[in-house]
Amino acid sequence: SDGHEYIVKAMPETRIEKPEICAVEIRHAVSFERLTRCGECIHRKHPADYCDMLRKAYMPDNFFCFYGKREEKENV
């Protein structure tokens, strides 16, 4: 709903035994991480730069990979 793209991963389930009531509680978790596309990645300073992680001279702005990372901005 915020207009950004996210990577959604299902995390391993957690089982909690509750012998006092003869039950098992099963918890499922999901992680959300904002997707970083090449156009905003710190491994490429501007569109013509070499990508250090993929060893490629040019990647389109809308491409993304596992190594994508955006610059951390400090809250002032």
Side-chain angles (χ1 to χ4, degrees):
S1 67
D2 64 2
H4 299 292
E5 298 171 295
Y6 289 88
I7 299 168
V8 180
K9 293 181 186 175
M11 306 304 285
E13 69 180 33
T14 304
R15 292 176 173 258
I16 302 169
E17 300 283 339
K18 301 207 175 206
E20 64 277 2
I21 59 171
C22 295
V24 176
E25 180 181 338
I26 300 174
R27 296 183 183 183
H28 294 274
V30 178
S31 77
F32 294 88
E33 182 181 340
R34 192 163 160 204
L35 180 71
T36 303
R37 294 206 177 260
C38 288
E40 58 195 5
C41 184
I42 63 171
H43 300 297
R44 189 180 83 171
K45 300 298 181 195
H46 61 81
D49 272 353
Y50 186 90
C51 176
D52 289 333
M53 301 309 281
L54 293 180
R55 309 289 190 251
K56 303 268 185 196
Y58 171 76
M59 297 305 293
D61 284 348
N62 64 348
F63 187 77
F64 62 92
C65 74
F66 177 79
Y67 303 107
K69 193 172 185 182
R70 71 176 34 88
E71 185 176 356
E72 298 287 329
K73 295 181 181 176
E74 292 183 25
N75 294 334
V76 180

